Amino acid sequence: MEPKIETGPVRPEVQLKPVPKKGLKWKSILTYSAFVGPALVFFLVIQIIPFLMGLYYSFTSWNGVSSAVEWVGFDNYIRIFTDDQVFFQSFMFTTKFMFAAVVISNVIGFGFALLLNAALKTRNILRTVFFLPNVIGGLLLGFIWQFIFVKGFASLGNATDLSLFKMPWLGDEKTAFWGIVIVFAWQISGYMMVIYVAALQGVDTSLLEAAKIDGASNWTLLTRIIVPLILPAFTICFFLTISMAFKIFDLNISLTGGGPFNSTQSVAINIYQEAFQNNRYGLGTAKSILFFVIVAVFTTVQVMITKRKEVQA
């Protein structure tokens, strides 16, 4: 017979006391508030509250100075659509400028990215050189290029006798338009290049090597593999360039000031003149609200289209 083993009394399992959920909840709330709170307060004070005040003033005839604020309803908006040819002209210029600037800036930025993604010894130096114009402020950059267009091109024209340098770059409507596009693209292409370079570095090189073994050409690699894989970068770059081109102000005012004869006046300059020079703050804010809606529609449609392309790719 096997000996019996006596065991002691069974001890109850030790149960850990749960930490009160209320304490954890308040701790997490305080932690989130400490990090998000200051940014949220600044966002409300700098963005939301001024936007709501501007929305209110767009329905008034306030001149921006006096304490009397007269409610006029939709009169400012009706006036924009029926009796403001200058605003319509500035909007057409800004839209045309946006399309040209977006295409040229992204083509140059993507071209720089492809160049610098190759095994070049000087690619780090070239990245700095290409990105450097984006660091220079818009007003300063505009005045530098104004000197180049007026003085520098005139000197080159006299020395080389080329008609390209003898053109009135900032004195004629057509050449002034392309002058602003050139300066904008020169400034912003380096910023787009950084985004495209980051996207290109995330492409799996094994896919490219396999495609080369199968006989794919460089153009096929670019259009069938590289571009579809970096479509999110195109979405970001298109969004940024569209919003920047629509809101152009500093380059425009330093290069041409909207001239000659308001032919190169952007919407931002028109709003600025209406509110702060003509002292029609109510009408100026109505234009800014309308402009905000237009830019929001353009950028939203662009993001929706490019996001759909990403899914298809």
Side-chain angles (χ1 to χ4, degrees), residues 128-156:
T128 305
V129 172
F130 292 152
F131 184 76
L132 191 60
N134 189 71
V135 181
I136 306 174
L139 281 174
L140 179 60
L141 190 66
F143 286 123
I144 292 172
W145 272 91
Q146 186 188 59
F147 176 82
I148 293 173
F149 281 128
V150 176
K151 301 294 184 181
F153 278 20
S155 301
L156 289 174

Side-chain angles (χ1 to χ4, degrees), residues 86-119:
V86 177
F87 179 77
F88 179 76
Q89 181 181 352
S90 64
F91 176 74
M92 293 304 295
F93 165 79
T94 307
T95 305
K96 184 172 67 172
F97 168 80
M98 182 271 296
F99 282 111
V102 167
V103 172
I104 295 174
S105 300
N106 282 279
V107 168
I108 295 175
F110 185 60
F112 284 165
L114 289 175
L115 176 66
L116 298 180
N117 197 50

Side-chain angles (χ1 to χ4, degrees), residues 153-167:
F153 278 20
S155 301
L156 289 174
N158 294 331
T160 60
D161 200 29
L162 294 175
S163 59
L164 176 67
F165 300 113
K166 291 185 176 181
M167 298 170 62

Side-chain angles (χ1 to χ4, degrees), residues 89-105 145 149 167-186 245-246 248 251-253 255-267:
Q89 181 181 352
S90 64
F91 176 74
M92 293 304 295
F93 165 79
T94 307
T95 305
K96 184 172 67 172
F97 168 80
M98 182 271 296
F99 282 111
V102 167
V103 172
I104 295 174
S105 300
W145 272 91
F149 281 128
M167 298 170 62
W169 276 95
L170 301 180
D172 183 71
E173 177 181 352
K174 293 182 180 179
T175 54
F177 169 81
W178 288 110
I180 299 173
V181 171
I182 290 170
V183 179
F184 179 86
W186 186 78
F246 260 126
I248 184 173
L251 282 180
N252 194 188
I253 202 169
L255 280 171
T256 64
F261 305 107
N262 295 328
S263 60
T264 61
Q265 185 186 81
S266 66
V267 175

Side-chain angles (χ1 to χ4, degrees), residues 261-296:
F261 305 107
N262 295 328
S263 60
T264 61
Q265 185 186 81
S266 66
V267 175
I269 291 181
N270 182 267
I271 294 172
Y272 169 79
Q273 291 180 348
E274 196 71 70
F276 300 106
Q277 293 184 0
N278 300 335
N279 290 331
R280 291 195 287 260
Y281 195 87
L283 183 60
T285 51
K287 290 182 177 181
S288 64
I289 295 296
L290 182 62
F291 186 51
F292 165 78
V293 173
I294 293 171
V295 175

